[in-house]
Amino acid sequence: MERFNEYLKNTDICELLHGLPPSYIQTIIKQIKHFTEKEAGRRDQIVLSYFGEKGVEHIVNTVANYLLSPPKPKEDTRILDIGAGNGFFTTKIADRIQKHIPNASFYAVDITPAMLQELNRRTNKVTCFLGAAENLTKAIKHAQKFMDIPDKYDAAYSILTLHHCTDIRKVLRNMKQVLNKNGKAIIIDLHQHPYREFREEMGDIHLGFKPEHIVETAKKFFTHVSIEKIPGTRCQCTQRTVQLFAAYLIP
């Protein structure tokens, strides 16, 4: 914890965002404020209120199954959670994977310091560091000054993060860049929906996505792209429902 706090103290978020368009940086700073003030301390309750225990289990099972699918993971596989938040899903997936691959190592990146502090308090199984999904390489290089962070990963996944990102094309390019040659990526996110109020309530940027748009964009960076609905899981809030999808990507 002490080393992590020292890392946070010596990390300038604006420097991690350097190179992104000014409008993107302003949007990301606004999101950091939203997640710090409205969600960091109660993220678990928010997720459970939306998906319930069954929905959470569907999401965890989907990601874990993809992570364990061929190409067979190495015994020392390295897995990165992009946009991990407070680690609600990160820890559940790490526990699930370690039952099959005891020597797997887990890493998590998020742009909100308050979220990562919650994750760091939650577990010592996951090495976490600050960074935006649109600028992963810069985040990794900076974090390596303070801790043992790999340049490349055998798998990366993102759960309910993409609709918070300024530029999904940059996110997908960055995911590809941090993967090993035989790596894989998994994205869980929202189908396109009409609820504009989510922008204010949840800090969303995109109102979900058309699966065909994700496929078209992902194919610019990945040779294999498949997408499916996550059966039986819907995001529920005051009678509003949004279907989830899972995208599986191989470089």
Side-chain angles (χ1 to χ4, degrees):
M1 176 68 79
E2 186 176 341
R3 183 179 68 165
F4 181 71
N5 288 334
E6 184 67 18
Y7 159 69
L8 290 183
K9 182 180 175 182
N10 287 280
T11 299
D12 181 348
I13 289 176
C14 288
E15 179 60 29
L16 295 180
L17 302 177
H18 182 72
L20 295 177
S23 60
Y24 289 10
I25 295 174
Q26 291 171 9
T27 300
I28 292 170
I29 295 297
K30 183 179 177 182
Q31 282 200 315
I32 292 171
K33 186 174 186 292
H34 170 90
F35 284 108
T36 300
E37 294 177 354
K38 296 187 177 182
E39 295 200 20
R42 59 190 192 95
R43 180 66 176 170
D44 289 14
Q45 299 95 309
I46 291 170
V47 173
L48 284 168
S49 72
Y50 272 70
F51 301 107
E53 295 284 356
K54 248 186 196 180
V56 168
E57 187 68 10
H58 270 307
I59 293 170
V60 171
N61 284 342
T62 299
V63 175
N65 289 341
Y66 276 129
L67 289 173
L68 294 169
S69 68
K72 184 179 178 181
K74 301 185 299 184
E75 290 184 4
D76 60 347
T77 191
R78 295 169 170 178
I79 300 172
L80 175 64
D81 184 347
I82 299 171
N86 74 340
F88 177 79
F89 286 108
T90 319
T91 51
K92 294 177 186 297
I93 290 168
D95 289 343
R96 187 72 57 85
I97 296 301
Q98 280 196 320
K99 290 178 182 178
H100 301 272
I101 314 172
N103 293 324
S105 54
F106 301 91
Y107 303 85
V109 59
D110 198 273
I111 195 58
T112 303
M115 284 288 195
L116 288 188
Q117 286 174 320
E118 292 289 331
L119 193 162
N120 204 49
R121 281 192 283 267
R122 186 189 292 267
T123 182
N124 60 5
K125 287 183 179 180
V126 180
T127 302
C128 46
F129 59 102
L130 276 172
E134 298 93 334
N135 228 9
L136 286 176
T137 302
K138 184 173 284 292
I140 290 168
K141 292 300 181 188
H142 175 72
Q144 287 172 337
K145 299 174 185 176
F146 300 89
M147 60 190 93
D148 184 16
I149 301 286
D151 288 313
K152 300 283 188 178
Y153 300 83
D154 301 298
Y157 66 88
S158 169
I159 301 175
L160 301 172
T161 294
L162 199 63
H163 64 275
H164 291 295
C165 294
T166 52
D167 188 331
I168 67 167
R169 184 184 174 96
K170 283 183 182 293
V171 174
L172 290 164
R173 182 191 293 119
N174 273 260
M175 289 184 89
K176 164 75 177 299
Q177 287 173 342
V178 301
L179 286 176
N180 285 323
K181 184 179 178 181
N182 294 318
K184 62 182 78 170
I186 303 102
I187 294 173
I188 307 290
D189 219 288
L190 307 175
H191 276 265
Q192 191 175 62
H193 62 80
Y195 306 122
R196 296 183 180 277
E197 63 270 27
F198 277 23
R199 290 195 169 114
E200 181 63 30
E201 292 176 14
M202 268 82 76
D204 293 6
I205 292 176
H206 303 279
L207 299 179
F209 304 96
K210 292 182 179 179
E212 58 268 28
H213 175 54
I214 297 297
V215 171
E216 180 185 354
T217 307
K219 281 185 174 179
K220 293 176 173 32
F221 309 103
F222 295 87
T223 58
H224 170 85
V225 178
S226 63
I227 200 161
E228 63 173 332
K229 289 183 179 180
I230 301 178
T233 302
R234 289 181 182 273
C235 175
Q236 301 182 1
C237 179
T238 61
Q239 305 306 311
R240 298 171 298 192
T241 63
V242 181
Q243 181 71 49
L244 299 181
F245 67 82
Y248 183 53
L249 318 170
I250 297 178

